[in-house]
Amino acid sequence: MKVVYKRPKSLKDRVYHYCPGCGHSIIHRLICEVIDEMKIQERTIGIPPPGCSVFAYHYFDVDMVESAHGRGAAVATGIKRSYPEAIVFTYQGDGDLAAIGTAETIHAANRGERLTAIFINNAVYGMTGGQMAPTTLNEMVTTTTPYGRDIKLEGYPIRISEMVAL
């Protein structure tokens, strides 16, 4: 029998706590597949923030360091500068990276820090009830914008990925 699907070595055998359909479990698997393919498990360090992914250390079989909300890039910078041979990644949502952590993210990118930021942008604050986030799209309905985001009232969505890409 040919095995065509198996759990990546760097993904722990645990039941996820995430809400059905949120996508974190799929993204975790994809990250672990890359870690295994690149054979970097022993030198990988992940930084999850408070929020939905706060328990990421239950799923990733790599070193994990929790950060304060919005401070993933700052913590990752400190780790990478202290341990340059490490593969360092942050795992951040839109509230963490594009709201409270905007400054840390932009400045880390501007300095050219050698780390990876994995941005989970679902355009709402999913963990706290689906409120509008900085990345909520125009006319998108949320619990705090029941008629859709109105750019005249709430402004335009922040395009943090495009800002960092520049």
Side-chain angles (χ1 to χ4, degrees), residues 45-50 53 64-81 88-93 95-109 111 113-118:
I45 303 171
I47 295 98
S53 60
M64 301 294 280
V65 177
E66 297 285 336
S67 70
H69 196 51
R71 305 307 179 251
V75 171
T77 295
I79 291 170
K80 184 65 176 180
R81 288 184 179 192
V88 180
F89 73 93
T90 66
Y91 187 91
Q92 300 175 267
D96 184 61
L97 187 142
I100 193 169
T102 305
E104 283 79 358
T105 303
I106 290 172
H107 289 294
R111 291 189 308 268
E113 299 295 346
R114 305 292 294 166
L115 53 95
T116 299
I118 299 170

Side-chain angles (χ1 to χ4, degrees), residues 135-141 148-152 155-157 159:
T135 57
T136 299
L137 302 172
N138 294 338
E139 300 180 6
M140 183 173 166
V141 173
R149 182 179 190 147
D150 182 346
I151 57 171
K152 292 177 185 170
Y156 288 92
R159 295 177 164 185

Side-chain angles (χ1 to χ4, degrees), residues 7 45 59 74 76 79 125 131:
R7 181 177 42 82
I45 303 171
Y59 312 120
I79 291 170
Y125 291 149
Q131 300 93 334

Side-chain angles (χ1 to χ4, degrees), residues 17-110:
H17 77 282
Y18 300 119
C19 299
C22 82
H24 283 297
S25 55
I26 294 168
I27 298 165
H28 286 6
R29 179 184 175 79
L30 292 171
I31 293 167
C32 289
E33 286 177 355
V34 170
I35 289 170
D36 288 2
E37 183 178 317
M38 295 180 71
K39 298 177 175 52
I40 57 173
Q41 182 179 3
E42 297 302 317
R43 60 188 185 115
T44 298
I45 303 171
I47 295 98
C52 294
S53 60
V54 71
F55 296 121
Y57 55 83
H58 284 307
Y59 312 120
F60 290 100
D61 194 9
V62 300
D63 290 331
M64 301 294 280
V65 177
E66 297 285 336
S67 70
H69 196 51
R71 305 307 179 251
V75 171
T77 295
I79 291 170
K80 184 65 176 180
R81 288 184 179 192
S82 301
Y83 186 29
E85 55 278 352
I87 304 298
V88 180
F89 73 93
T90 66
Y91 187 91
Q92 300 175 267
D94 40 11
D96 184 61
L97 187 142
I100 193 169
T102 305
E104 283 79 358
T105 303
I106 290 172
H107 289 294
N110 185 53

